[in-house]
Amino acid sequence: MAAACGKRRPEFPLQLSSFILQCCYVYTFKIKSSRAPDTSLFVPVPLKPGLGGAAEEDVGAELTRPLDKGEVLKNLNKFYKRKEIQRLGAENGLDARLFHQAFISFRKYIMESSSVSADLHIILNDICCGAGHVDDLFPFFLRHAKQIFPMLDCMDDLRKISDLRLPPNWYPDARAIQRKIIFHAGPTNSGKTYHAIQRFLSAKSGVYCGPLKLLAHEIFQKSNDANVPCDLVTGEERVFANEDARQAPHVACTIEMCSTNTPYEVAVIDEIQMIRDPARGWAWTRALLGLCAEEIHVCGEPAAIDLVTELMYTTGEEVEVRNYKRLTPLTVLDYALESLDNLRPGDCIVCFSKNDIYSVSRQIEARGLECAVIYGSLPPGTKLEQAKKFNDPDDPCKILVATDAIGMGLNLCIRRIIFNSIVKPTVNEKGEKEIDTITTSQALQIAGRAGRFGSSFKQGEVTTMHREDLVQLKEILSDAVPPVKAAGLHPTPEQIEMFAYHLPDATLSNLIDIFVSLSQVDGMYFVCNIDDFKFLADMIQHIPLNLRSRYVFCTAPLNRKEPFVCTTLLKFARQFSRNEPLTFDWLCRHTKWPLAAPKNIKELVHLEAVHDVFDLYLWLSYRFMDMFPDAVLVRDIQKKLDDIIQIGVCNITKLIRASQSAPGTTEVVSEDFPLSRTQKDARNLRSSRLGSRQEDLKSYGRGSLANRLLREGLLTQEMLRQLESEWQDQHRNGRYGFGSKRDDQHSSKETRKKRK
């Protein structure tokens, strides 16, 4: 406990030491400012060849004579090969790539122009006549290069704008006060957030910042139930505690929506370890450095203590650490479940794909059991209803099938967590999908949901579905969580606007790329992944929007793997650019509202996408109220849609049966591609999955091939029975597989050759 274990240092020396430290940072990282930019990101501005008028042509011709384009071309090529010219180009910011591009453009401009400026005409004529040297062309070449690469003239300014080395200085209001930082550290179900919230409720004013709408809504409810007026602020919703819409002294919000200008007595930042998140980490950094509160209560994993302490040292603020232990015991069992016949009330099976969710839930129903289902793309209301159903002791539903979405935001009465698999699909830095073993942090977050304090289960248990996974799960849970090394940052709209001022012809996607290329951060920070932002920027680039509006559209929270939602955003932007309000009637026509209850999984997935479209409309309505005027009406139909989706989820096994019995349907749903893919595409997808996962299957699990495919969701029990039946029929008819035995032998030989 930093503050509790010793005397508090005087305020002035602490602030002075912070200032000295920041000066040291500037000096230490001064050298980095001279690093070479990634010039592959510099897109040349096209210049049309000069067509010129008769008067301009006469000036060059009268003073000299018409140019011989053949001689001009020879001399231009000599100019390009001169080492001295290449060296001069490098001194003026033209590396080999830029020098080549600039020369190609310069040569094309001269050769295709019917006339050039009089001074360039004279120089070219002198060189062709032997009265000048090709080096005399360099000033004209450099002028042309700066016209097509305008960033060359303002590189120092661009470096200053993209200098991210001192984020604390971005928040002068927070630096003007001396804040007290209290870190509540502990595992899941340790009461750390409870103690922070108690201080939040007792304060005269406060703000709670959480990672999920569900968490913000929970604190909003608790506060108002405790007679502490509290507003709710999320990206899509504003709910006032006071009927007259006056702002309450307390507010619960998603972390991206917190205000760094409003003063509070107490602020709570939940799940601080997410400051390392590649996409959203910047929001935790902004809250930690920028919230203007007398007390900042930070809750999360102990792995983030050192980083938070270092960050606060740069602001001149001390950190008091309060450690918590788990309130109920958590036991890793010595045996796996192995069969769904061994399920007991209070069990939760955790899967990492929708196909696994569908497969497991149907197998449970086939055993006469009822289960609740929770996964990430379900609306918050549906998740809460499914959680309520599972928690209700009078409800016959005693089993939960869920993804890692249960790791945060839901209070669940779980006795035993069962990992259906310990590998999870992830997306690497290149945007490629990979299969990787879950991390210790992820495993602890999920396993910790068992045996929640205050529930009917006084202790929690955790195991795996398959025996071969249990040893590895024990190793994962026993490993120490790696310390959080760096905090995320993201360029602000103001920084991008300043970039655009210097580079008016660059696209937003290109501006972001150049910004990240030139950005400078110290070792405690990193620039967050901007792939989603760039995807949306490229998608709406052809639509005429001002920069600020374009930036807002590109920060819209949507899943770019959902084609219907992406298409809708495109239509929103196009309508917005024409200054035509997006009305309730327009949205109903686009989404074909009203919608019926789903009859199969495909229809359920589409309803979830429509719900996301309504979310998108509401999100934009709080940023462009005049252009998205019908937020109240949209919120009403979104609630109705939530009820329709709940009906579908409650009957999910019927939807699965309907999907699998439909003609030509060979798999429940593809999570990576649009549902409209053809049967041939589906076969290709399964083939690619099998190829990419082959090594992973070998590395993490043994057992029969059928069991491994079932575990990965690549095969269902019904498909297995069908394959077995087909194999027996073919065996009786003297056929083996899809070809003859000779073909199989030939295939085996070819495979061995490839391996060699």
Side-chain angles (χ1 to χ4, degrees):
M1 295 187 180
C5 295
K7 293 182 179 179
R8 190 176 184 84
R9 283 186 267 177
E11 182 175 337
F12 176 74
L14 195 60
Q15 296 287 3
L16 182 61
S17 68
S18 172
F19 172 75
I20 294 170
L21 183 63
Q22 290 178 3
C23 291
C24 291
Y25 278 147
V26 174
Y27 177 79
T28 304
F29 292 99
K30 188 74 175 176
I31 298 173
K32 284 191 177 181
S33 64
S34 60
R35 69 171 182 172
D38 183 0
T39 56
S40 65
L41 302 174
F42 293 0
V43 179
V45 177
L47 288 181
K48 293 182 180 179
L51 300 178
E56 192 171 346
E57 275 192 40
D58 290 341
V59 173
E62 284 180 13
L63 295 175
T64 56
R65 63 178 181 178
L67 293 174
D68 181 346
K69 290 296 180 78
E71 284 297 317
V72 169
L73 180 59
K74 289 180 183 178
N75 285 290
L76 285 174
N77 290 335
K78 287 181 184 178
F79 170 82
Y80 174 73
K81 294 176 181 178
R82 294 268 297 164
K83 296 295 183 185
E84 292 81 357
I85 296 299
Q86 294 174 13
R87 180 178 54 78
L88 281 172
E91 290 174 1
N92 285 273
L94 293 169
D95 63 8
R97 180 196 300 271
L98 294 186
F99 182 84
H100 178 73
Q101 285 183 286
F103 173 75
I104 297 298
S105 176
F106 183 57
R107 183 177 64 187
K108 181 179 179 182
Y109 177 80
I110 292 175
M111 298 304 295
E112 294 184 4
S113 295
S114 59
S115 65
V116 295
S117 61
D119 52 353
L120 178 56
H121 186 108
I122 292 170
I123 292 295
L124 287 170
N125 183 72
D126 288 348
I127 294 171
C128 291
C129 295
H133 195 278
V134 289
D135 290 0
D136 298 338
L137 286 172
F138 185 77
F140 301 95
F141 167 73
L142 185 61
R143 182 175 67 189
H144 183 91
K146 289 182 177 181
Q147 285 179 305
I148 65 169
F149 294 117
M151 59 285 296
L152 295 174
D153 250 348
C154 54
M155 193 61 68
D156 289 341
D157 290 335
L158 297 179
R159 289 185 189 279
K160 289 176 184 176
I161 296 168
S162 58
D163 191 339
L164 307 180
R165 289 176 295 185
L166 293 176
N169 291 350
W170 303 349
Y171 310 102
D173 291 344
R175 300 292 77 77
I177 62 173
Q178 184 67 27
R179 306 180 306 169
K180 182 180 181 182
I181 315 297
I182 299 160
F183 196 124
H184 300 264
T188 304
N189 199 17
S190 62
K192 57 185 183 297
T193 306
Y194 169 82
H195 287 88
I197 294 302
Q198 291 304 111
R199 180 67 187 96
F200 167 82
L201 294 174
S202 66
K204 294 177 182 177
S205 63
V207 58
Y208 168 83
C209 308
L212 301 173
K213 286 184 281 188
L214 283 173
L215 286 170
H217 196 273
E218 180 186 346
I219 302 304
F220 165 75
Q221 288 286 115
K222 282 184 177 178
S223 298
N224 288 293
D225 290 346
N227 294 319
V228 177
C230 179
D231 295 339
L232 174 68
V233 178
T234 69
E236 302 81 16
E237 190 174 17
R238 308 285 190 282
V239 180
F240 293 99
N242 299 313
E243 293 181 358
D244 57 359
R246 282 185 298 107
Q247 188 173 330
H250 289 72
V251 60
C253 63
T254 45
I255 194 158
E256 287 88 352
M257 300 304 296
C258 70
S259 169
T260 57
N261 301 319
T262 308
Y264 301 101
E265 182 183 348
V266 169
V268 177
I269 304 175
D270 208 357
E271 305 294 351
I272 187 62
Q273 70 276 1
M274 289 189 70
I275 201 169
R276 68 182 164 205
D277 188 84
R280 297 178 66 200
W282 62 270
W284 276 263
T285 305
R286 175 177 171 271
L288 182 62
L289 298 178
L291 280 173
C292 197
E294 297 170 25
E295 291 181 24
I296 307 283
H297 290 257
V298 177
C299 308
E301 296 177 359
I305 292 175
D306 289 345
L307 177 64
V308 171
T309 303
E310 288 181 39
L311 292 175
M312 293 301 95
Y313 184 63
T314 66
T315 65
E317 294 160 334
E318 294 182 342
V319 178
E320 175 187 338
V321 179
R322 298 178 185 174
N323 288 298
Y324 300 83
K325 293 183 179 179
R326 185 178 165 87
L327 297 173
T328 56
L330 179 66
T331 305
V332 183
L333 300 178
D334 291 327
Y335 54 89
L337 189 72
E338 297 195 273
S339 170
L340 295 176
D341 295 329
N342 298 324
L343 286 172
R344 292 179 291 178
D347 280 352
C348 172
I349 302 177
V350 177
C351 308
F352 293 111
S353 75
K354 274 190 186 178
N355 281 341
D356 284 351
I357 289 276
Y358 300 147
S359 175
V360 171
S361 58
R362 183 168 182 189
Q363 291 176 59
I364 291 172
E365 190 230 31
R367 287 164 168 78
L369 301 173
E370 192 174 337
C371 66
V373 174
I374 296 175
Y375 50 87
S377 60
L378 285 177
T382 304
K383 290 178 186 174
L384 288 171
E385 283 301 314
Q386 289 290 298
K388 183 179 177 182
K389 180 180 179 181
F390 173 70
N391 290 337
D392 187 354
D394 298 325
D395 196 291
C397 172
K398 301 300 179 187
I399 308 295
L400 176 64
V401 182
T403 63
D404 52 348
I406 64 165
M408 291 181 191
L410 291 168
N411 291 321
L412 297 162
C413 296
I414 298 172
R415 181 175 60 84
R416 178 170 60 174
I417 289 284
I418 302 158
F419 284 89
N420 188 58
S421 170
I422 56 171
V423 294
K424 179 182 178 181
T426 58
V427 179
N428 63 22
E429 295 176 355
K430 297 178 181 178
E432 300 166 339
K433 192 168 183 179
E434 296 178 339
I435 300 292
D436 201 2
T437 307
I438 57 174
T439 65
T440 299
S441 178
Q442 291 168 338
L444 289 171
Q445 187 81 29
I446 297 168
R449 309 307 288 177
R452 184 173 67 89
F453 181 75
S455 73
S456 55
F457 303 112
K458 302 304 179 185
Q459 72 172 39
E461 298 174 344
V462 58
T463 186
T464 59
M465 177 66 72
H466 308 283
R467 189 188 311 167
E468 56 266 30
D469 290 339
L470 186 56
V471 174
Q472 193 168 358
L473 178 64
K474 287 183 176 181
E475 292 176 359
I476 292 170
L477 291 172
S478 63
D479 287 343
V481 178
V484 180
K485 297 285 182 66
L489 295 174
H490 193 279
T492 65
E494 293 76 19
Q495 289 169 324
I496 299 304
E497 279 184 340
M498 286 190 283
F499 248 58
Y501 172 79
H502 291 289
L503 305 174
D505 296 309
T507 65
L508 180 55
S509 178
N510 190 228
L511 283 174
I512 288 286
D513 274 335
I514 296 173
F515 184 97
V516 174
S517 169
L518 294 176
S519 63
Q520 302 161 71
V521 295
D522 67 28
M524 290 189 291
Y525 299 97
F526 67 93
V527 179
C528 283
N529 188 304
I530 53 170
D531 288 346
D532 288 346
F533 185 98
K534 285 176 55 187
F535 172 81
L536 296 180
D538 289 333
M539 188 175 73
I540 65 172
Q541 179 56 42
H542 65 286
I543 298 174
L545 296 168
N546 64 57
L547 184 66
R548 181 60 71 113
S549 298
R550 190 180 298 277
Y551 185 94
V552 171
F553 271 93
C554 293
T555 55
L558 59 78
N559 183 355
R560 60 175 172 167
K561 293 180 181 177
E562 294 180 350
F564 182 70
V565 183
C566 293
T567 302
T568 304
L569 178 71
L570 194 61
K571 292 182 178 180
F572 282 172
R574 190 175 292 118
Q575 186 99 339
F576 182 94
S577 70
R578 294 195 291 258
N579 205 30
E580 298 174 4
L582 290 109
T583 62
F584 176 75
D585 291 338
W586 183 96
L587 187 64
C588 288
R589 286 196 304 273
H590 173 69
T591 57
K592 295 181 173 58
W593 180 264
L595 296 163
K599 299 182 181 65
N600 53 48
I601 289 297
K602 180 178 178 179
E603 290 183 7
L604 176 62
V605 171
H606 178 69
L607 291 180
E608 292 167 7
V610 174
H611 193 281
D612 287 345
V613 166
F614 291 165
D615 260 348
L616 179 61
Y617 184 99
L618 294 170
W619 189 88
L620 289 166
S621 73
Y622 286 108
R623 287 143 185 89
F624 306 111
M625 294 184 183
D626 294 340
M627 298 300 292
F628 296 83
D630 295 329
V632 175
L633 295 173
V634 173
R635 194 174 304 285
D636 288 341
I637 62 171
Q638 189 182 44
K639 290 176 182 176
K640 294 176 183 177
L641 177 59
D642 205 333
D643 293 338
I644 295 171
I645 293 173
Q646 286 177 37
I647 294 171
V649 173
C650 288
N651 298 303
I652 195 164
T653 51
K654 294 179 182 177
L655 304 187
I656 296 168
R657 282 199 301 271
S659 298
Q660 292 180 335
S661 62
T665 302
T666 54
E667 65 177 46
V668 175
V669 64
S670 164
E671 297 170 66
D672 305 299
F673 297 92
L675 289 164
S676 58
R677 291 208 170 235
T678 62
Q679 195 171 355
K680 180 181 177 182
D681 292 328
R683 288 196 297 269
N684 291 337
L685 172 59
R686 287 194 298 278
S687 176
S688 66
R689 279 178 172 174
L690 285 167
S692 64
R693 295 186 182 183
Q694 186 178 14
E695 292 303 319
D696 293 288
L697 288 169
K698 286 180 181 178
S699 65
Y700 83 85
R702 293 187 300 274
S704 73
L705 175 63
N707 284 337
R708 294 202 299 273
L709 293 177
L710 283 168
R711 184 164 69 244
E712 282 305 301
L714 299 172
L715 194 64
T716 65
Q717 290 284 359
E718 185 172 324
M719 291 165 63
L720 186 61
R721 286 192 292 270
Q722 185 178 348
L723 286 171
E724 185 179 0
S725 175
E726 289 178 2
W727 175 262
Q728 289 172 352
D729 289 343
Q730 291 169 353
H731 192 274
R732 282 194 295 268
N733 295 331
R735 289 182 291 118
Y736 300 88
F738 295 102
S740 66
K741 188 174 181 180
R742 182 178 177 182
D743 291 335
D744 289 340
Q745 291 172 345
H746 178 73
S747 175
S748 299
K749 289 179 181 179
E750 290 297 318
T751 303
R752 285 195 295 271
K753 286 180 181 179
K754 288 180 180 178
R755 285 177 180 170
K756 288 179 181 179

